[in-house]
Amino acid sequence: MRLAVREALLAFRRAPMLSALSVTTIAFSLFAFGLFGLVALNIRNALQTVEDRVEIRAFIADGTGSEATAAALGDIGAFPEAASVRLVSQTQALDRARRELGEFSDVFEEGILPASIELRLKPGFRDPETVKAVAKRIEVYDFIDDIRFGEEWVEKLHRLRNIATLAGLALGLTFAVVAIIIIGSTIRMAVMARSREIAVMRLVGATNGFVRAPFLIEGFLKGTLGGLLALVLAWIALTVINRFVVQATFFDPWMGAVGVLAGACIGLAGSALSVGRHLKRV
Amino acid sequence: MIRFSHVHKRFARTGAALQDVTFQVNKGEFVFITGPSGAGKSTILKLCFFEEQPSTGEVKVYGTSSATFKPADIPRLRRRLGVVFQDFRLLEDRNVESNVAFALEVTGTAPSQIGPRVSRLLAQVGLAAKATALPRELSGGEQQRVAIARALANDPVALIADEPTGNLDERATRGIFQLFRDINANGTAVLMATHDLDLVRRAGCRTIEVNRGQIVFDSASDGGFRGPDTPDAAEDDE
Ligand SMILES: Nc1ncnc2c1ncn2[C@@H]1O[C@H](COP(=O)(O)OP(=O)(O)OP(=O)(O)O)[C@@H](O)[C@H]1O
Ligand SMILES: [Mg+2]
């Protein structure tokens, strides 16, 4: 094992340019993943806040009897998706509007705002489809004048997040494939450079695993370096965004670790895929 | 210990290299393989250390059979064999010591045992004084001794040598051959391919002669010399 690590490190010195190239492509692969991942992450965070506030507000027609309203309140509260439901009377609506609008509070006359039923949904039922479905079910009461929920907003954010995820995936995978190809050719050179040694190893009875180990370790190390580099790049990108565009959050340590691990996997895959093929020719 | 049974070997581009080769080498034996260039000597040796596999027939070496072996059996077998070549195949960027140690390192010998073991091996082949020299600083005979020390590193039961003296002068040849005799006297079987008929004649060891891929003479079988036109000459070998 010690020998294998030494050999792997030696390989960096034998082909520094190619090694640097493989590390950088892995880094770019993961950076692409990471950048779009960050976008997706921040959109998801934004969605969370928006979704937390998602309310269905059903406005009640003037002159609706209080029993009808109370019955509807009970029915709606019993929906499996419902977290809480409450009645906002005309007075309360007015108070709230005045509070929110401050100095313009005078413009509201008593009775101008309708009463409404406000429904908050349980987490997990806040996606656009469910919200829409629930709204439909409330609409059937004939005393409901109008129903509102943040449909466009929620849908737009969802779509944006999906696009960011897909773009990151496509770009990241492309770079990953390029990285694997470059690592493959690096391995080929390393195998050629060590062909005499490999031949002697085999002759004296070194196992196949032993012959392969340095190349696999080399790939693993390059992948890990690439992963770390990608993390640094993503962090720099985020700092720039924070400064000039919008406040955004970074990956938590777990996601960072997963990213570095993904780099290690790309490196390992690149060498594992090619080492057998090239060793056969020695 | 080494047994060939009706071995045929065909190569895709060059055709039949061996035809119906049958012989056996016993524990501790010393056997020469002779014959003209292209006869198939190297091919026989490669079959012995499983560098090649027979097209038909069976090669069985120290319990490993060409008919049933798994890939993992090959390294295990090769640790029980020592192999040397005409061109030495030393690693030019390592000194004598590390060349010998290399065979031990890559087969998982405990690091603490490698040093003493290398010293002993170098003493055995008479190179204790040149442990730190690089291969290019040695004569051909000395380089071959390094290769032999490396081949002996894992205490082989047989030493397989493909024209080990082919690049050496008369004196060096005698020295290397004497070393083989000593190794053989310690119980290691030796299978050596050579062109050097003088050497073979003087040594008086068992000799197998190959021609055009067939065994045409085996001094261990009772019949003495038989021409190449009697292909099954060697079949009644033990
Ligand atoms: N790897 C190979 N691929 C194709 N043909 C081969 C291969 N190895 C050997 N041969 C063929 O097998 C035949 C026997 O070759 P081999 O090397 O065993 O001869 P040899 O007796 O060792 O000759 P020499 O004394 O010149 O070393 C030759 O005709 C050669 O062309
Ligand atoms: Mg030969």
Side-chain angles (χ1 to χ4, degrees):
Chain A
M1 199 60 196
R2 202 174 45 85
L3 198 76
V5 172
R6 201 178 65 199
E7 285 300 336
L9 291 177
L10 217 66
F12 279 86
R13 264 201 304 182
R14 284 212 183 96
M17 283 303 288
L18 263 181
S19 298
L21 194 62
S22 358
V23 170
T24 338
T25 33
I26 292 177
F28 271 118
S29 158
L30 292 164
F31 180 55
F33 268 128
L35 212 54
F36 287 92
L38 273 179
V39 172
L41 176 75
N42 280 285
I43 291 178
R44 205 189 59 183
N45 286 350
L47 273 174
Q48 205 95 60
T49 0
V50 171
E51 282 181 348
D52 279 347
R53 279 189 305 193
V54 165
E55 275 183 345
I56 300 175
R57 202 175 289 186
F59 295 100
I60 300 169
D62 251 356
T64 306
S66 58
E67 312 95 74
T69 319
L73 215 56
D75 287 351
I76 293 167
F79 284 179
E81 297 93 342
S84 67
V85 62
R86 71 195 178 110
L87 184 71
V88 180
S89 69
Q90 289 186 334
T91 336
Q92 284 166 328
L94 189 64
D95 280 351
R96 189 156 67 185
R98 282 196 173 135
R99 227 181 309 117
E100 281 175 8
L101 292 176
E103 54 179 308
F104 302 108
S105 58
D106 297 346
V107 302
F108 293 104
E109 298 278 323
E110 185 105 18
I112 220 174
L113 291 173
S116 60
I117 292 174
E118 287 185 2
L119 173 64
R120 224 170 242 284
L121 296 176
K122 285 181 189 157
F125 294 110
R126 290 170 180 166
D127 57 288
E129 281 73 38
T130 315
V131 173
K132 210 177 281 177
V134 173
K136 279 248 165 60
R137 268 188 280 156
I138 298 174
E139 240 171 350
V140 299
Y141 295 100
D142 47 15
F143 53 82
I144 299 295
D145 254 359
D146 190 13
I147 191 150
R148 281 201 206 140
F149 49 93
E151 56 213 301
E152 305 88 23
W153 252 102
V154 173
E155 262 173 35
K156 245 180 227 158
L157 279 177
H158 266 274
R159 208 168 320 131
L160 214 59
R161 184 182 66 170
N162 290 344
I163 289 170
T165 310
L166 273 179
L169 224 57
L171 210 61
L173 281 179
T174 312
F175 274 112
V177 169
V178 173
I180 285 174
I181 291 170
I182 290 178
I183 287 183
S185 63
T186 321
I187 296 275
R188 202 176 74 120
M189 290 199 35
V191 169
M192 295 309 156
R194 297 187 57 213
S195 60
R196 273 181 83 88
E197 254 170 276
I198 292 169
V200 173
M201 281 187 182
R202 289 208 172 120
L203 194 66
V204 300
T207 58
N208 237 330
F210 190 95
V211 175
R212 275 162 194 249
F215 300 106
L216 297 182
I217 292 173
E218 187 185 331
F220 180 85
L221 286 179
K222 281 179 184 162
T224 310
L225 276 180
L228 289 172
L229 186 59
L231 214 54
V232 171
L233 286 177
W235 187 79
I236 291 172
L238 186 90
T239 314
V240 170
I241 291 171
N242 268 345
R243 164 100 36 103
F244 299 108
V245 190
V246 65
Q247 196 64 35
T249 35
F250 197 53
F251 300 115
D252 60 34
W254 260 108
M255 292 187 210
V258 167
V260 174
L261 198 69
C265 288
I266 295 177
L268 204 57
S271 29
L273 285 176
S274 74
V275 71
R277 206 151 31 88
H278 297 311
L279 280 179
K280 232 176 262 161
R281 299 203 204 119
V282 170
Chain B
M1 182 155 73
I2 297 175
R3 201 177 69 215
F4 279 54
S5 319
H6 305 290
V7 170
H8 292 253
K9 180 66 185 176
R10 280 189 65 83
F11 287 107
R13 273 192 296 277
T14 55
L18 293 179
Q19 291 175 52
D20 201 22
V21 170
T22 297
F23 70 95
Q24 178 167 337
V25 174
N26 293 317
K27 237 178 161 166
E29 247 189 310
F30 198 121
V31 181
F32 283 115
I33 296 183
T34 63
S37 182
K41 303 183 292 295
S42 298
T43 306
I44 288 178
L45 297 187
K46 282 179 187 164
L47 285 161
C48 288
F49 58 93
F50 281 55
E51 168 91 14
E52 300 281 358
Q53 274 77 50
S55 309
T56 63
E58 187 196 14
V59 174
K60 196 165 179 181
V61 182
Y62 204 64
T64 304
S65 160
S66 63
T68 58
F69 77 101
K70 298 182 290 298
D73 295 335
I74 293 181
R76 211 172 307 134
L77 172 66
R78 288 190 185 163
R79 289 176 198 201
R80 310 306 300 148
L81 302 174
V83 187
V84 296
F85 300 95
Q86 181 171 4
D87 59 358
F88 321 132
R89 305 201 186 172
L90 299 176
L91 302 175
E92 299 299 330
D93 56 345
R94 294 173 197 249
N95 66 22
V96 167
E97 230 167 25
S98 341
N99 261 285
V100 178
F102 187 74
L104 294 164
E105 285 166 7
V106 303
T107 50
T109 308
S112 61
Q113 288 175 23
I114 292 179
R117 190 115 186 211
V118 169
S119 310
R120 216 198 61 215
L121 287 162
L122 288 182
Q124 190 182 348
V125 300
L127 273 184
K130 306 221 165 163
T132 56
L134 288 172
R136 72 178 121 80
E137 296 163 347
L138 300 177
S139 74
E142 287 167 333
Q143 290 188 47
Q144 190 60 291
R145 285 171 191 270
V146 179
I148 293 168
R150 181 176 71 190
L152 294 177
N154 281 309
D155 268 331
V157 292
L159 193 60
I160 291 165
D162 195 352
E163 298 186 36
T165 59
N167 280 349
L168 306 180
D169 65 19
E170 172 68 30
R171 245 175 74 84
T173 296
R174 261 185 281 130
I176 294 293
F177 181 63
Q178 189 51 48
L179 181 56
F180 278 150
R181 294 303 289 257
D182 296 343
I183 291 163
N184 180 241
N186 289 333
T188 306
V190 177
L191 186 57
M192 172 171 163
T194 183
H195 276 134
D196 192 341
L197 292 179
D198 270 354
L199 183 75
V200 173
R201 222 169 283 130
R202 263 184 286 122
C205 299
R206 176 178 168 197
T207 305
I208 296 173
E209 191 183 334
V210 199
N211 196 2
R212 291 194 217 143
Q214 296 177 316
I215 291 183
V216 292
F217 171 75
D218 183 345
S219 65
S221 60
D222 47 8
F225 184 81
R226 295 175 216 186
D229 45 348
T230 47
D232 49 353
E235 271 193 20
D236 41 14
D237 184 22
E238 44 170 344

